[in-house]
Amino acid sequence: MLLRQEGRALVVRTPAKLNLFLEILGKRPDGYHELETLMMTVGNYDTLRFTEENLPAHSSASRSSMSSSASDSSLPMTLACHWGGAPNCSPGSLPTGADNLVMRAAQLLREFSGTCRGVHVELTKRIPLSAGLAGGSSDCAATLVALNRMWELGLSDQQLLKLGAQLGSDVAFFLRKTPVAICRGRGELIEPLAQPMRLHFVISKPASGLSTAAVFRHCHAAIEPRSVRPLVDALYSGRLSLAATRLHNALQQPAEELNSDVIRLRRQFARLPFVAHQMSGSGTSYFGICSQREQAESLAAQVRSTGRDHVFVASTQS
Ligand code: C5P
């Protein structure tokens, strides 16, 4: 997550994530599942532009307005959202209502802090939706960090993490601003790791998406859970072909039962010379790993030529 001041606006660039490992350890009394997962940010970003103004600016993009707030004197909070990725991959209408995680984060911050200050957010989406890439959680974390600064709330990292956990299980990973982490609990307990060797991914997102809740409803806790450690050891000793044998996503099987596009992508990726491939998070996006960017670009062209999916290349930071 990168913040920069541009005149009166605070601009945040916030990344997508991939899960190279995800194991289900059990179902919890609160209905969530206990996880062990390895998450990595990749170079596919949404951009959020925050401006504070007394009256919301007008724009042609889809927008919503929310002025229900801590007090009657609260200033408006508005969100405008447009697609900034490849034009032929636009997901259509983008959700800008009060249930958008950006608006929920702003509203929660306002309730928690008692501030009446308002904001206009311009969200440029490039991270595909309902994809298992955590675009919504990433935007949510960016909003908490940016508004804490812009509204001069002075909340600690710990307080932001607590608020983030109320908004989604993946939000904590982005708040920690680490490129890689092992995440446990329901995803909010973060063990930050350094960046391993540089990896290049071909990511394909079919037009269909999956609801995270639906995929978790279909999953089963592992009887003999795998550990993330062997994958971490292989990655951090630079043995990519060994790491490739240790990729795992326990949500892939239930996702395949719910959505045949995931099966189609698995078969398509299996025919190409990726080091390894699997679904990310709760899907439906599917990724293949390459050791070289040029090879990723060339395999992406092959994946793209055979279908109508949203296919792109993203690398980890060097
Ligand atoms: O936390 P988040 O809102 O992203 O989760 C969406 C849904 O996914 C939850 O309502 C829950 O049904 C399911 N989930 C789960 N176990 C987790 C994370 C999410 O069952 N660790």
Side-chain angles (χ1 to χ4, degrees), residues 31-35 167-170 185-187 212-213 216:
Y32 283 86
H33 292 79
E34 196 72 13
L35 304 178
L167 294 160
S169 306
D170 289 341
R186 64 181 175 93
T212 303
F216 271 104

Side-chain angles (χ1 to χ4, degrees), residues 269-301:
F269 276 63
R271 286 194 292 271
L272 294 166
F274 289 109
V275 178
H277 55 90
Q278 78 177 15
M279 190 185 78
S280 180
S282 56
T284 49
S285 67
Y286 203 92
F287 65 89
I289 304 182
C290 299
S291 55
Q292 303 294 329
R293 178 90 189 187
E294 299 71 32
Q295 192 204 16
E297 298 286 359
S298 136
L299 291 180

Side-chain angles (χ1 to χ4, degrees), residues 47-51 53 56-66 77-84 94-97 100 102-103 119-125 139:
T47 307
L48 298 97
R49 189 181 178 84
F50 298 85
T51 39
E53 46 198 342
H58 292 287
S59 107
S60 58
S62 69
R63 92 183 350 238
S64 81
S65 165
M66 234 171 86
M77 297 199 292
T78 55
L79 170 66
C81 186
H82 56 262
W83 178 247
L94 293 160
T96 57
N100 183 297
V102 168
M103 293 305 258
V119 68
H120 176 60
V121 189
E122 273 173 55
L123 168 58
T124 304
K125 280 224 71 80
D139 298 342

